[in-house]
Amino acid sequence: MTKPIWIKHAAQLATLASEVKGPRSKGKMSELGLIEDGSVWIEDGMIQAVGTTKELEERFADKVYEAEIVDASNHLVTPGLVDPHTHVVYGGSREREFEMRLEGASYMDIMNAGGGIHATTRMTREATEEELIDQTKRRLDSFFSHGVTTIEGKSGYGMNLETELKQLRVMKKLQEQHAIDIVPTFMGAHAIPPDFKGREDDFVNHLIDEMLPVVAEEKLAEFNDVFCEKGVYTPEQSERILEAGKRFGLMPKIHADEIEPYGGAELAAKVGAISAEHLLKASAEGIKAMAESGTIACLLPATALYLREEAAAGRRMVDEGVSVAISTDCNPGSSPTTSMPLVMNLACISMRLTPAEALTAATYNAACAINRQERVGSLEVGKQADMVMWNVKNYQELQYLFGVNHVKSVWKKGVKVV
Ligand code: NIG
Ligand code: FE
């Protein structure tokens, strides 16, 4: 038995606790369950009690002497941040493309010329499993140092069975070697592999008949994602892939309406996707359909900034009743960052979410977007003790002092990792 941990005297404890279960929208995104002079009691990696310091002092009076005490005076304490959309396992890097884009090339031009996703696919195919593990571990450490304790991770830099499986197995191995939680997504439909150019439907058939069954059989993924975009997968092809994934028990996600309006948000609602990603160019009908179907909008304002595009209509989506989550999109092309704090700042600055909404989007709603809301995303009894102590006093200050890493300490399942 490890020592209990008692975090006490938090200037502000944002528990994100709520009676309402499931993704939050509208005014519910502003309810942070704040406790002043807050306190959390942790045993065996789980949260045993949450309340004011006075309440927990009374309740655990006879156990205090055996606990490790953390004084959180003057600090904000929140749940560990959740990043619900990453492409964290990849080989190589693409800094030259960054320069090319600044010189005027577009993201899609580079991809269509064999760079972009194709370049990373080549480098990921060439990398050994050990090399990928080693490179990814460094990114996972960086997530921890930015207060992120759970991430989703996608395959998609293989686009052949062998390398897709390699990426997914790397995630599985990293679960044993690293304390962060990784929730795996299969994204074989991330681009059209060059050898299938002009025979896109053949690749869709191959993915459905040859790849999905193996991924499902080996239980390597929980979600199935597709890049539904002009010049990549059409809404019809995307629907076939996502419906096939459902038959194998994989929940649908969609990279939707990132570059052009293409019916992706509408499709997400139609197939009952747990989330739709990007949505920079989502139509008014698509947004309405998502609010009605309860599909979470997973918005990626760092990607928009990095591609120098206008961010998604986050404010409007919240107002229209869509549950919004936010994410880094951590990948070597359109968003090479692990900083969820920066993404929260940008959610406020470029999408006009309020500081409270941005925190909900990066914790509880983010957990919902990867079906982990029973375990993480809020500080409630019976949940994992994934927590962050910040070098600020309240949640407004966290979003206001931007571009700075305010993390002081991070606990993953009750173990201090930063
Ligand atoms: O979510 N849009 C497609 N996929 C990734 C980018 C991947 C890459 O450029 O390597 C995204 O932005
Ligand atoms: Fe992505």
Side-chain angles (χ1 to χ4, degrees), residues 80-325:
L81 304 179
V82 176
D83 189 340
H85 176 146
T86 86
H87 306 254
V88 71
V89 181
Y90 60 85
S93 77
R94 301 193 339 237
E95 61 274 17
R96 174 65 193 127
E97 286 181 13
F98 176 62
E99 259 176 351
M100 284 163 70
R101 280 204 311 277
L102 295 175
E103 286 157 11
S106 81
Y107 179 78
M108 288 310 254
D109 289 344
I110 293 172
M111 175 160 145
N112 292 333
I117 295 173
H118 299 299
T120 299
T121 299
R122 285 192 296 277
M123 292 186 272
T124 306
R125 286 179 180 180
E126 277 161 22
T128 64
E129 220 174 272
E130 290 65 37
E131 283 164 348
L132 289 177
I133 288 177
D134 190 55
Q135 289 170 24
T136 307
K137 256 189 202 163
R138 278 180 267 153
R139 294 175 203 130
L140 300 181
D141 289 343
S142 177
F143 274 116
F144 265 166
S145 68
H146 289 90
V148 180
T149 47
T150 299
I151 64 167
E152 182 253 21
K154 301 178 197 293
S155 68
Y157 291 125
M159 292 185 276
N160 60 27
L161 183 59
E162 185 192 338
T163 311
E164 289 293 311
L165 292 178
K166 180 167 74 177
Q167 277 188 281
L168 292 167
R169 287 184 188 132
V170 161
M171 286 188 239
K172 199 168 179 178
K173 287 198 176 155
L174 283 165
Q175 280 302 263
E176 291 151 23
Q177 298 182 22
H178 200 281
I180 205 165
D181 278 322
I182 311 177
V183 179
T185 294
F186 171 62
M187 197 177 179
H190 195 189
I192 307 288
D195 38 332
F196 281 90
K197 210 162 179 182
R199 338 182 261 125
E200 288 78 9
D201 283 323
D202 288 351
F203 184 69
V204 173
N205 292 336
H206 173 66
L207 188 144
I208 292 174
D209 298 335
E210 318 289 336
M211 294 167 98
L212 271 175
V214 185
V215 171
E217 166 77 25
E218 292 196 26
K219 294 191 172 33
L220 286 171
E222 294 181 33
F223 302 98
N224 182 26
D225 198 344
V226 39
F227 191 9
C228 177
E229 192 72 50
K230 203 166 185 183
V232 195
Y233 292 91
T234 64
E236 293 71 29
Q237 290 165 334
S238 303
E239 184 172 353
R240 277 190 65 208
I241 292 168
L242 296 174
E243 288 295 341
K246 279 187 350 197
R247 293 196 287 279
F248 285 105
L250 300 182
M251 283 181 256
K253 283 181 174 279
I254 312 185
H255 280 60
D257 305 318
E258 177 183 357
I259 317 280
E260 292 191 33
Y262 201 44
E266 291 86 337
L267 177 63
K270 183 176 173 198
V271 299
I274 188 166
S275 65
E277 333 289 303
H278 290 285
L279 300 167
L280 303 193
K281 307 282 161 65
S283 70
E285 298 75 45
I287 293 173
K288 191 161 175 275
M290 284 180 59
E292 277 162 15
S293 65
T295 303
I296 298 168
C298 184
L299 305 181
L300 315 167
T303 310
L305 177 77
Y306 207 72
L307 297 180
R308 301 192 306 121
E309 292 286 338
E310 201 172 315
R315 174 76 268 138
R316 175 170 172 194
M317 291 184 200
V318 174
D319 291 343
E320 294 195 8
V322 179
S323 300
V324 169

